[in-house]
């Protein structure tokens, strides 16, 4: 992998990740852009104890442009985009309309391929490995920023999810706090450790799932399963078999196997509802240990946390979506219409050729 860092016309950082070591990335951003001005601020909810990002400048962000005006495609002639070069393998750049900025963190865009009509599932194993390396590198770099406590790499795919740009891409949020979802896991981790005299909750869950009927696919270093208490109609958790706190902890064997396992999982997701259905909308979310202090979680260290990826779709059956209505949105109590055992069975049935 070759990494080349440069600046866009408004001062934002852009980084090329290339498969070939001899790639030259010297194209200049020729757009007449002014410096980006953001109004991002984080407010803490005193009742719930969580945080909300207020970012009114995002109202003006690019919204469903035609394909020939896509800002994530490489620049061609006088059609200038966020990527100055005429081609790329993987690109990461600071979001022009960030939810978090400055002392409130940082937001980045990850372009998986220059092919506008592709998806992550269309990537080769070599390309998917390059994305993994980019995620890992950005996790490392962002963790050293003084305002950052947790790094979240994720992909939103599909208009039903709310994606406003059709180009295959994901995002990275660098939060200035530990996210509520992670805090819940850390509290459960601490409670289980105390109640069992030191047993790791993630290890116990993984051992239980490996022995159950909800395993979807398994490699030498990774396992994917539908969790016992899945929140979403089709939800899969992907774990490395050796517990590590973040992407930086993966060894070379796990990194090598990841593309094959993950691409197979994504391709199965696109087959859940049949070949005649549109591509399955999904969210793919990496859970990593926070880089900040964990004093509030008694007896828990970063090494107790288990890196894992959560992949789920909001489509519950052909032509129907799972909406977060009263119970889910009002009380955070999910009601799942698809039994996890049936979801796992379906995902095994649609193994790609």
């Amino acid at each position: 992998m070759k990494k080349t860092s440069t600046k866009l016309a408004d001062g934002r950082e852009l980084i090329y990740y290339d498969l070939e070591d001899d790639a030259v990335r010297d194209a200049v951003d020729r757009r007449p852009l002014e410096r980006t001005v953001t109004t991002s601020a984080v407010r803490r909810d005193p009742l719930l104890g969580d945080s909300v990002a207020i970012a009114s400048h995002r109202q003006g962000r690019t919204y469903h442009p035609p394909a020939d005006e896509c800002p994530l495609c490489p620049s061609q002639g006088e059609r200038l985009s966020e990527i100055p070069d005429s081609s790329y393998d993987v690109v990461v750049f600071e979001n022009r309309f960030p939810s978090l900025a400055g002392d409130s963190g940082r937001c980045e865009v990850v372009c998986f391929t220059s092919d506008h009509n592709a998806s992550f599932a269309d990537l080769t194993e070599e390309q998917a490995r390059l994305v993994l390396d980019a995620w890992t590198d950005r996790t490392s770099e962002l963790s050293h920023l003084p305002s950052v406590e947790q790094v979240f790499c994720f992909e939103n795919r599909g208009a039903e999810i709310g994606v406003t740009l059709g180009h295959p891409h994901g995002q990275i949020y660098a939060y200035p706090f530990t996210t509520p979802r992670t805090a819940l896991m850390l509290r459960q981790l601490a409670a289980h450790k105390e109640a069992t005299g030191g047993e790791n909750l993630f290890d116990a869950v993984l051992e239980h799932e490996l022995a159950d009927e909800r395993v979807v696919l398994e490699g030498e270093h990774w396992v994917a399963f539908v969790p016992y208490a899945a929140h979403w109609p089709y939800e899969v958790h992907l774990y490395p078999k050796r517990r590590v706190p973040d992407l930086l902890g993966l060894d070379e064997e796990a990194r090598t196997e990841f593309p094959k396992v993950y691409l197979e999982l994504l391709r199965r997701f696109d087959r859940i509802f049949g070949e005649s259905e549109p591509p399955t909308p999904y969210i793919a979310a990496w859970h990593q240990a926070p880089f900040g202090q964990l004093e509030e979680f008694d007896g828990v260290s970063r090494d107790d946390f288990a890196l894992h990826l959560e992949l789920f779709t909001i489509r519950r059956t052909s032509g129907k979506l799972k909406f977060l209505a009263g119970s889910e949105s009002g009380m955070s109590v999910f009601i799942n219409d698809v039994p996890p055992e049936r979801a796992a069975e379906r995902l095994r049935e649609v193994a790609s050729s």
Side-chain angles (χ1 to χ4, degrees):
M1 180 187 78
K2 182 180 180 181
K3 176 183 175 183
T4 306
S5 180
T6 185
K7 294 287 185 182
L8 296 173
D10 55 7
R12 289 175 294 131
E13 184 178 20
L14 179 143
I15 306 162
Y16 294 98
Y17 293 90
D18 285 293
L19 291 167
E20 302 298 331
D21 291 336
D22 58 355
V24 177
R25 299 298 185 185
D26 56 6
V28 176
D29 185 3
R30 295 181 284 129
R31 296 173 297 171
L33 298 180
E34 296 182 356
R35 286 271 174 177
T36 301
V37 177
T38 66
T39 57
S40 178
V42 173
R43 298 183 182 180
R44 189 163 180 82
D45 186 323
L47 293 180
L48 298 180
D50 59 10
S51 298
V52 177
I54 309 296
S56 60
H57 62 277
R58 284 173 52 79
Q59 286 281 35
R61 66 187 184 274
T62 308
Y63 188 80
H64 292 300
D68 60 357
E69 296 179 17
C70 175
L72 305 185
C73 288
S75 293
Q76 299 288 341
E78 294 306 310
R79 195 189 70 77
L80 306 178
S81 73
E82 289 279 65
I83 297 92
D85 216 323
S86 59
S87 66
Y88 63 85
D89 292 334
V90 173
V91 165
V92 177
F93 60 87
E94 288 185 76
N95 198 323
R96 190 176 178 187
F97 304 96
S99 302
L100 307 164
D103 293 339
S104 298
R106 175 159 157 153
C107 293
E108 298 182 339
V109 177
V110 184
C111 298
F112 303 138
T113 171
S114 60
D115 184 352
H116 181 85
N117 297 312
S119 68
F120 200 117
D122 296 323
L123 301 182
T124 65
E125 290 185 19
E126 186 181 33
Q127 290 171 317
R129 169 60 190 266
L130 184 61
V131 175
L132 175 64
D133 290 342
W135 282 331
T136 305
D137 181 70
R138 297 314 301 153
T139 296
S140 175
E141 293 291 328
L142 293 170
S143 71
H144 290 99
L145 296 179
S147 63
V148 172
E149 189 167 311
Q150 186 173 357
V151 179
F152 175 46
C153 306
F154 65 99
E155 179 192 1
N156 297 332
R157 203 277 286 269
E160 300 95 328
I161 297 293
V163 175
T164 57
L165 297 176
H167 197 101
H169 72 288
Q171 299 180 66
I172 301 175
Y173 277 23
Y175 296 102
F177 51 79
T178 297
T179 62
R181 185 77 178 277
T182 303
L184 281 173
M185 284 189 272
L186 290 169
R187 284 195 284 272
Q188 288 295 102
L189 187 61
H192 185 86
K193 190 173 185 179
E194 181 179 5
T196 60
E199 182 181 66
N200 184 278
L201 177 59
F202 285 107
D203 292 350
V205 167
L206 190 57
E207 181 181 0
H208 175 76
E209 294 290 357
L210 279 167
D212 218 308
E213 60 181 313
R214 292 179 302 278
V215 171
V216 174
L217 59 91
E218 183 178 355
E220 184 178 353
H221 303 283
W222 294 86
V223 60
F225 58 86
V226 177
Y228 172 74
H231 289 60
W232 299 94
Y234 291 91
E235 173 184 334
V236 176
H237 292 191
L238 178 62
Y239 276 72
K241 291 184 177 178
R242 183 179 68 87
R243 172 165 46 89
V244 295
D246 51 40
L247 290 165
L248 301 170
L250 293 174
D251 58 25
E252 182 57 32
E253 289 78 10
R255 293 181 183 281
T256 299
E257 186 181 75
F258 170 78
K260 180 178 181 180
V261 174
Y262 187 48
L263 290 171
E264 170 68 13
L265 196 56
L266 291 180
R267 290 162 186 165
R268 292 191 190 191
F269 251 60
D270 273 344
R271 294 171 182 234
I272 294 173
F273 304 104
E275 298 288 351
S276 61
E277 287 289 313
T280 302
Y282 66 74
I283 293 175
W286 280 108
H287 293 274
Q288 305 193 80
F291 288 94
Q293 299 299 315
L294 301 180
E295 286 93 346
E296 63 180 292
F297 309 103
D298 293 339
V300 170
S301 70
R302 290 193 79 250
D303 290 338
D304 291 320
F305 195 86
L307 168 77
H308 59 285
L309 183 141
E310 183 179 345
L311 175 68
F312 63 89
T313 179
I314 63 171
R315 187 180 291 165
R316 57 186 175 88
T317 190
S318 296
K320 297 180 181 179
L321 301 181
K322 165 65 178 176
F323 292 103
L324 300 189
S327 186
E328 292 89 354
S329 295
M331 284 291 148
S332 294
V333 178
F334 275 69
I335 300 169
N336 190 351
D337 301 323
V338 180
E341 293 73 21
R342 175 53 190 149
E345 181 182 16
R346 177 59 182 158
L347 284 162
R348 289 192 297 268
E349 290 173 352
V350 296
S352 63
S353 58

